[in-house]
Amino acid sequence: MTKRHADVLVTDDDDGIRSTVAAMLRAEGFDVIEASDGDMALEMLEEHQVDVLVLDIRMPRMDGISVLDALEVPPVVLLVSAFSMDEEIRSRTSGKVFRYLRKPVAPGRLIGFVAEAMGEAKVRSAEG
Amino acid sequence: MAVGPVGPRTRLNGQPKGVTTDALHVEGLDRVVAARVMGVVYVVCGGAVAVIAAAVPQPAGSNLAAMEGICISGVVLGPLVWMLPWERWPRVATLALAVVALGFISGFDAASAADGFRYGLFDVVVFAWVGLSQARGTSVALVPFLVAGYVGPLVAAGHGWDSATASVFYAVPSCIVTGEAVAWMADRLRRTQGELVSAQEALVQGERLSAVGEMATVIGHELRNPLGAVTNAHYLIRSSLGDPEQVEQYLDVAEREVTRAVRLAEDLALYMRERELERARVEDGT
């Protein structure tokens, strides 16, 4: 099955955050899809070729760390949390996360990080 | 949290406000309890000795009727001692019970025509009670009464400087050592109890602070989501000023998220108020 393409998958259980982040990124011209928990994110990653994954850590059912555990080769990941990310989280997700971001992330910075991550995705794609 | 030495502010369970462990150190066992213990000693010792004295042959020169009279006096006095309003009188008043007890023993010695040390065990019991119920050093203050009660019957019976009279030199130290050892142990026990109460209070206070801190941390983190959404909505409103419909949509988002943040702050305030009320209830014992 051919996967559909999406620039960014925004995964957050908080409606306010998810919808506004998606709207900001769409306004910048990114093709954005949304998921409200880890299970849904994995399903969407099955169906879509995603360049950048904006992933919240604390979510019901399946959290962000478990999503990363389930992905052998994840997209370029921006891992986001309202809590500070300790050494345990960093060591467990090491090699799979492009940037660790703490909420709230200023809109301009977030857009900048996503653009940077898109550049990284292009580099990885070129390297094969 | 480190627990310091028992300070003058430490209070024991059931102890009225203002009474400290330092005060307990000075005063010893509660005076009503102390008096009642001595009342029980009067009844038990008086009753036991009355039965034994009647059951066994007594030495020549003894006066069994006087011996039994003294014992029965103790048995009768015991309940009276129990009922007296000791809480109205100063602690020193309970010392009279020790003096009366030494008087009973002395009288019994005289009536039984026995050597002083034969019933010396009862002197030791009296001094153990003194150690338990009075401040350290009180045993020494009672020595004149002990010597008079111990030697008096011997002198009255015609003893001179003999082994019976000389036994006062080990009877008195034995009583003092017993009284002071019990006082020292009771004092240590009270101090340990005070330290335990102090440690428990520190633990409860630590848990209380920990719970409040944890709650504040959780609320602080929970506030990050609505604040982030409001920031994003503000950004979107600024970039959508030409589109009233979108502005309206993001204003709704901002309003909803601000309401959510306010609710979180109210939850925290409510939680703090409930904890304050709970603490006040615990302190009042209601």
Side-chain angles (χ1 to χ4, degrees):
Chain A
M1 187 181 80
T2 309
K3 287 185 175 181
R4 282 174 285 168
H5 178 266
D7 293 331
V8 186
L9 169 58
V10 178
T11 307
D12 199 313
D13 62 313
D14 189 290
D15 286 344
I17 290 284
R18 191 183 64 253
S19 63
T20 54
V21 165
M24 287 190 308
L25 295 176
R26 284 187 188 114
E28 294 298 318
F30 295 110
D31 179 14
V32 182
I33 54 176
E34 303 173 37
S36 57
D37 60 56
D39 276 340
M40 194 174 169
L42 287 178
E43 282 174 22
M44 299 194 89
L45 287 168
E46 284 283 315
E47 298 164 4
H48 294 79
Q49 177 65 45
V50 172
D51 293 331
V52 177
L53 173 59
V54 179
L55 182 64
D56 186 30
I57 290 185
R58 279 170 62 113
M59 290 183 293
R61 287 192 288 281
M62 184 184 241
D63 63 19
I65 305 293
S66 303
V67 170
L68 289 180
D69 286 343
L71 293 170
E72 199 172 328
V73 184
V76 180
V77 175
L78 298 176
L79 193 61
V80 190
S81 178
F83 294 81
S84 59
M85 282 172 255
D86 56 26
E87 277 307 308
E88 191 190 340
I89 290 178
R90 285 174 187 269
S91 65
R92 197 173 154 191
T93 58
S94 171
K96 289 186 174 178
V97 174
F98 182 62
R99 274 194 185 279
Y100 296 90
L101 306 176
R102 182 137 189 233
K103 287 181 182 176
V105 187
R109 291 187 69 215
L110 181 63
I111 291 165
F113 288 136
V114 171
E116 194 185 350
M118 287 295 291
E120 171 69 13
K122 282 197 179 74
V123 170
R124 289 187 193 176
S125 175
E127 286 173 350
Chain B
M1 184 181 290
V3 178
V6 181
R9 291 173 62 81
T10 305
R11 202 150 52 85
L12 303 184
N13 280 338
Q15 186 182 331
K17 284 180 182 174
V19 177
T20 66
T21 47
D22 280 2
L24 278 176
H25 161 60
V26 173
E27 291 181 354
L29 198 66
D30 177 86
R31 58 185 184 275
V32 175
V33 176
R36 288 179 174 178
V37 167
M38 188 50 108
V40 171
V41 170
Y42 281 1
V43 172
V44 171
C45 292
V49 175
V51 170
I52 293 167
V56 298
Q58 295 300 320
S62 63
N63 182 341
L64 185 60
M67 291 161 67
E68 292 293 336
I70 289 168
C71 291
I72 290 166
S73 300
V75 173
V76 171
L77 194 58
L80 185 65
V81 167
W82 182 285
M83 289 184 290
L84 286 174
W86 296 100
E87 68 279 359
R88 292 191 208 157
W89 301 330
R91 171 171 295 272
V92 71
T94 59
L95 266 181
L97 296 173
V99 175
V100 169
L102 291 175
F104 277 143
I105 298 163
S106 181
F108 194 86
D109 269 339
S112 66
D115 300 331
F117 50 83
R118 184 167 296 182
Y119 297 104
L121 174 66
F122 293 104
D123 290 326
V124 172
V125 171
V126 172
F127 274 75
W129 175 86
V130 169
L132 193 66
S133 62
Q134 310 294 327
R136 279 155 68 174
T138 309
S139 302
V140 179
L142 280 181
V143 165
F145 294 98
L146 175 64
V147 171
Y150 194 92
V151 177
L154 296 171
V155 173
H159 284 269
W161 179 242
D162 58 13
S163 62
T165 310
S167 67
V168 73
F169 289 107
Y170 53 79
V172 170
S174 298
C175 288
I176 292 173
V177 167
T178 301
E180 289 308 302
V182 170
W184 180 79
M185 283 190 288
D187 191 48
R188 291 271 299 183
L189 198 64
R190 280 189 290 272
R191 280 182 177 277
T192 305
Q193 190 186 0
E195 283 168 5
L196 281 173
V197 170
S198 181
Q200 189 186 22
E201 283 175 354
L203 196 66
V204 169
Q205 177 71 4
E207 281 174 358
R208 186 184 297 151
L209 288 173
S210 168
V212 170
E214 200 174 311
M215 183 69 180
T217 304
V218 169
I219 296 279
H221 286 126
E222 290 298 327
L223 277 171
R224 286 173 178 269
N225 275 335
L227 290 179
V230 169
T231 307
N232 294 346
H234 175 253
Y235 176 89
L236 288 164
I237 289 166
R238 286 183 68 172
S239 57
S240 314
L241 285 177
D243 186 341
E245 246 182 61
Q246 282 213 320
V247 169
E248 185 75 24
Q249 179 191 338
Y250 297 133
L251 278 173
D252 285 346
V253 171
E255 188 181 355
R256 193 175 65 227
E257 296 298 326
V258 167
T259 305
R260 195 172 134 203
V262 168
R263 199 173 300 136
L264 280 168
E266 285 173 351
D267 285 350
L268 178 60
L270 181 67
Y271 174 78
M272 297 297 287
R273 269 202 302 276
E274 281 175 353
R275 287 204 68 88
E276 277 301 310
L277 284 172
E278 186 186 337
R279 194 178 68 175
R281 276 199 298 271
V282 169
E283 284 180 356
D284 288 349
T286 55

